[in-house]
Structure formats: structure tokens, C-alpha cells
DNA sequence: GTCTATACACGGATAGAC
DNA sequence: GTCTATCCGTGTATAGAC
């Protein structure tokens, strides 16, 4: 009876995670995954139904880690503005792009019900967390009353995702850094004016 | 002697433009291009050196059209803020994504010197135009003196590019619309305060 | 200029031995 | 469970006829 350690399975997932990030889904072949994991074809088709199934498992793992890291930025006990700044200004491997966001450039991913769902669900989670932080700030009168949490949350998410796009287009992290700093500056302007 | 009408060549470029937008570079095969253009293999290899060369021509065309449309939004005679709003709020085929920005998701594009250059150059042009508009606004005291044009320009670009990512991830244009509206709201907050 | 035929490697999946 | 052998389709490019 097999021990449920799943080492080979884990290696497959790990290799897939790396390759998906580096090359995307369509451009990642089972062959490449197997080579990197040091496994044969049989292992893959034993543990998973095929490429799509393996990719889904890998993406769920990646999403989990990404959400955990975001949670760290957003869960501090500072003001809402400080927590949003922490999220925006966090160190990132800019030129590699967002391991989840980049999947949206791959038509095959969006055409796969499972894969598309993982991507959509990840951003839904992210959005929910950011909305919550902004609402916190509203409750504490940190922001101007005109601020719409749902809109601002997507703006924040978009600046990060778009920053990756600009940086990769330029082959230089600078556009990302400018974009998030510009966003932080605008956020400061949405603070509640002192009424005295 | 051949007339320089280039009809077949143009059909090839047009088909490539469509397919690059729909599927990206890697996932677009010469075969698919030929089928759509109603041409044979020979035509393609007569007019272009190969897939990369044809894609470069197609991307240059696409970039040109995109820059022209942006110019329309940004060149109005309204205030800088109004022109930025026009750019941000312009009607877009959100779920198709940005025909240029989406290329950054394709590792093969970024790995090709020619292709990567077209993408980089397009965003450089775009950025330059937006910076100019913001500087206009600064000259007219529209914005708070703390505004950094280079940062704000990339923030604006990033919101649009990131909006596409979020919308495609969700399979719904709503996140894009929220992101740009949130950005517009923040832009309003950066206006120069009346000193009276 | 454009076509068809051909070449060769790689993609993804299956079969069956161990 | 994992391996290798095999299959068939497709991707990209070349050859050579018309």
C-alpha cells in the first residue's frame, strides 16, 4: 500500500509552477515539466489526468502562496493607508510578472473552465481583502467620503497588474516603481481633509 | 514588373493582426494566418522571412493605430484632467485586452529582439504623450504641486493595462470599469486646492 | 508571386512492460 | 507507480512546379 507522501507528485507540481511562471501555460510542455521534475511520462499520467489537471493543481498552489503573502501586507495593525502602501510598495520580482495575472494573457487558460476559475477566484479573494481594508479606513474617517471602496480596490489591483505589464514591455522594473509610487501619491490625496 | 499594390501582403498582415490579438504570438501558427488570409505558404515566405518578420509588421501596424486613437483622446483642447479622463474612460473592447500590452505575457515575444522592441517603443510613445499632458496641466496649475508627472503617467497607463488583466481574469469588463473610475476619482483629488 | 508537396521536430496522450 | 515505446496531429520551414 502506497505511503501518502506524494514526493514525485510534489516535484511535478513544483516544476509546473516554475514553468508556468516562466513561460505560461501554452508554452509549457509536459516534456519540459517531466525533464525538470526528473520524472517519466507515466508518473504524470498516473497522478494527474493530463497537462490541464496538473496545471490546475500548480496554479492553486501558486494562488495560495500569493494570497498568503498579500495577507501579510494587508493585515498589519497600521492605518488602512499604511497597509495599502505596504501592498503597493512591497518588493516584487517585477520582470517575472505576476504568476497569476500573467495567465490572463494565455487564451488557452481562459478557454479552460478549471484554469480560468482559479485565476478568477484568486483575484476575487484579493479584491475582497483590499475592499475590506479600504472600508476599515472609511470607518476610521481616513479617506474622503467620496471614495468608493469597490472602485479604489480595483484601481489598486490594476496599478500592480499594469505595472508588471509596463515593466515587462520595457524590460525594466522602473515603470512598475513609478506606477506604484504615483498611486501612493494619489492615495495620500484622498485622505480626509482636516476640518477644524 | 509587379505593381506595388501589395494586396496579398496586406491580407497577410491583417490576418496576423487579428490572430495576434485573439491568441497571442506563440499560439498563432503560420498555417492559421494563411488560412484566414486565403493564401498559400509561398506567399508568406515570399513577402516575409518567416513568422517573426510577419508578426513584427503586423504589430507595427497595430501600434500605429493604437497610438493614433490615443492621440485623439489626449489632443483635445480641454483641461489636462479632462483629457486624461477621456483616455481613461474611452470605450474599449475590454475582454479582448490591449493588443500591444497582451504581448508582454508571451515569453517568445519578449525573447525576440524585434518584437520586444515594437512593444517597448509603443509604450514609450504612449508614456511620452501622457507625460506631456500632465506637464501641460502642471503649467496651468491644474494639479497639486506635489504631483510627479513621470510617476502619474505610468500610474495612468498601469491602471488601463491592469484593468484589462482584471477584466480578462474575471471574464467580465466590470473590474476594468471600476479601476478606471477609481483612478479618475483619485485624479480629481490631486487638483490644486483653491487658495482664497 | 503563388501554389503544393515535403521534411522534420515537437506537442499531448496512450500502451504496455517492469 | 514509474518507465519506455509509440502514435498522431501540428508547427515552422524549404523545395520546386506553375
Amino acid at each position: 500500500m502506497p505511503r501518502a507522501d506524494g514526493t514525485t507528485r510534489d516535484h511535478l507540481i513544483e516544476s509546473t509552477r516554475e514553468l508556468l511562471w516562466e513561460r505560461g501555460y501554452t508554452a509549457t510542455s509536459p516534456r519540459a515539466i517531466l525533464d525538470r521534475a526528473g520524472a517519466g511520462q507515466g508518473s504524470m499520467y498516473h497522478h494527474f489526468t493530463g497537462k490541464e489537471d496538473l496545471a490546475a493543481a500548480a496554479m492553486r498552489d501558486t494562488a495560495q502562496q500569493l494570497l498568503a503573502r498579500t495577507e501579510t501586507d494587508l493585515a498589519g495593525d497600521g492605518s488602512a493607508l499604511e497597509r495599502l502602501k505596504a501592498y503597493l510598495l512591497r518588493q516584487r520580482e517585477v520582470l517575472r510578472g505576476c504568476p497569476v495575472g500573467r495567465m490572463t494573457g494565455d487564451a488557452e487558460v481562459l478557454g479552460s473552465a478549471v484554469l480560468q476559475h482559479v485565476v478568477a477566484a484568486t483575484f476575487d479573494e484579493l479584491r475582497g481583502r483590499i475592499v475590506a481594508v479600504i472600508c476599515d479606513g472609511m470607518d476610521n474617517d481616513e479617506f474622503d467620503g467620496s471614495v468608493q471602496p469597490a472602485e479604489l480596490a480595483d484601481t489598486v489591483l490594476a496599478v500592480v497588474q499594469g505595472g508588471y505589464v509596463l515593466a515587462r514591455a520595457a524590460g525594466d522594473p522602473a515603470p512598475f516603481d513609478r506606477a506604484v509610487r504615483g498611486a501612493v501619491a494619489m492615495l495620500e490625496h484622498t485622505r480626509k481633509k482636516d476640518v477644524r
Side-chain angles (χ1 to χ4, degrees), chain A residues 127-138:
Chain A
R127 177 166 23 241
R129 283 299 297 129
I130 295 179
V131 167
V133 170
I134 296 171
C135 287
D136 260 25
M138 298 293 286

Side-chain angles (χ1 to χ4, degrees), chain A residues 27-28 33 38 54 68-69 109 161 178-179:
Chain A
T28 294
I33 295 169
L54 170 51
R69 229 172 312 136
V109 171
Q161 292 299 318
R178 288 194 298 264

Side-chain angles (χ1 to χ4, degrees), chain A residues 138-192:
Chain A
M138 298 293 286
D139 289 347
N140 293 334
D141 266 351
E142 274 187 62
F143 300 113
D144 187 276
S146 67
V147 166
Q148 303 284 327
E151 292 184 359
L152 188 52
D154 273 308
T155 306
V156 167
L157 275 175
V159 167
V160 171
Q161 292 299 318
Y164 281 125
V165 170
L166 299 180
R168 285 171 58 85
D172 179 355
F176 182 99
D177 294 331
R178 288 194 298 264
V180 293
R181 280 203 297 270
V184 166
M186 283 207 287
L187 274 176
E188 312 262 20
H189 280 281
T190 65
R191 270 200 289 224
K192 185 116 183 170

